[in-house]
Amino acid sequence: MKEIVFATHNAHKASEIRNILGDSVKVKTLTDINLFEEIPENGNTFEENSFLKADFVRARVSDFTMCIADDSGLMVEALDGAPGVFSARYAGEPADDKRNVAKLLDNLKGVENRRAKFVTVITALINDKSYSFRGEIEGVIIDECRGTNGFGYDPVFVPDGYDLTFAQLPSEVKNSISHRARAIRKFVDFINNL
Ligand code: ITT
């Protein structure tokens, strides 16, 4: 695997995946292949939405051989798994990280159970076959934003075993333990054993 198309418009995800995969693989995003359309994400699960993104690319690339997509989100125990697949647009359209985090903290005001997990599902489409790889990391939601690294809900998520949020931890640390890193590593193991 020397080059791969990553079906995302999210520059943060692309930078994390480049970091996780290292220099040996060239990761091309939708911007790099001039696909600027919004991809409909109307599935009920991370698996469904991840597949929809990858399939969207397959339908639009003429000499298609392989692409990957990432659908991710935060699942909060006390909110019955919300925001879940609606993480990007939790506070409505247009998607806005700051408003999403504010809404989350508001919904958790006075709530004692702060347990949550991040989930990533990577779909790999290889020729006409689809494979999915799930990564998760558990932690807690604190009651204020801390740190400026990362994106999305990183400033309020403290992974188990750490005292700092994903937005305070160096990106190398997040990229070695995150939901995304765990899913991507499963994908890489799979590819290496093909
Ligand atoms: P693409 O569909 O173009 O890949 P997106 O941002 O719309 O980008 P998702 O549909 O997977 O991606 O939504 C994921 C949302 O979940 C994202 O916008 C963040 O709010 C949150 N999220 C995902 N991974 C995260 C991470 O590593 N750290 C913090 N928040 C994350």
Side-chain angles (χ1 to χ4, degrees):
M1 186 176 62
K2 290 266 178 292
E3 184 176 292
I4 192 161
V5 173
F6 179 25
T8 190
H9 290 298
N10 184 321
H12 297 284
K13 283 185 183 177
S15 130
E16 289 190 2
I17 283 192
R18 286 188 176 113
N19 196 293
I20 296 162
L21 286 174
D23 288 341
S24 55
V25 184
K26 184 170 167 51
V27 176
K28 286 178 155 184
T29 65
L30 296 181
T31 310
D32 297 324
I33 62 166
N34 295 318
L35 263 184
F36 299 105
E37 288 165 82
E38 178 98 356
I39 306 181
E41 288 178 41
N42 43 22
N44 293 316
T45 62
F46 295 113
E47 280 77 7
E48 282 172 19
N49 282 333
S50 186
F51 175 81
L52 286 172
K53 293 182 211 186
D55 196 44
F56 182 91
V57 170
R58 171 164 61 187
R60 283 161 182 79
V61 172
S62 50
D63 52 349
F64 182 87
T65 50
M66 166 153 142
C67 78
I68 59 169
D70 163 323
D71 198 63
S72 304
L74 179 70
M75 301 186 74
V76 178
E77 212 170 85
L79 301 176
D80 295 327
V85 291
F86 302 110
S87 292
R89 286 160 190 80
Y90 190 40
E93 300 270 5
D96 183 290
D97 285 349
K98 279 214 170 82
R99 287 194 306 123
N100 289 339
V101 171
K103 177 171 175 181
L104 178 69
L105 293 185
D106 213 39
N107 285 345
L108 286 176
K109 230 174 230 159
V111 174
E112 227 169 82
N113 176 7
R114 315 292 296 193
R115 300 291 307 160
K117 65 180 180 185
F118 272 123
V119 178
T120 289
V121 172
I122 296 286
T123 296
L125 286 188
I126 305 175
N127 299 315
D128 57 347
K129 292 217 168 64
S130 165
Y131 307 90
S132 84
F133 307 91
R134 192 179 177 103
E136 300 189 352
I137 182 160
E138 300 214 6
V140 292
I141 304 297
I142 56 171
D143 58 8
E144 61 177 12
C145 287
R146 288 188 204 149
T148 52
N149 296 333
F151 69 105
Y153 300 90
D154 282 345
V156 293
F157 181 84
V158 175
D160 286 349
Y162 293 80
D163 296 324
L164 300 174
T165 67
F166 262 168
Q168 290 175 303
L169 288 166
S171 58
E172 307 82 68
V173 175
K174 178 184 177 191
N175 290 334
S176 67
I177 62 170
S178 77
H179 45 311
R180 184 159 294 108
R182 288 174 180 174
I184 283 287
R185 271 193 230 118
K186 286 185 187 172
F187 160 68
V188 170
D189 283 350
F190 171 79
I191 287 285
N192 287 340
N193 285 305
L194 266 187

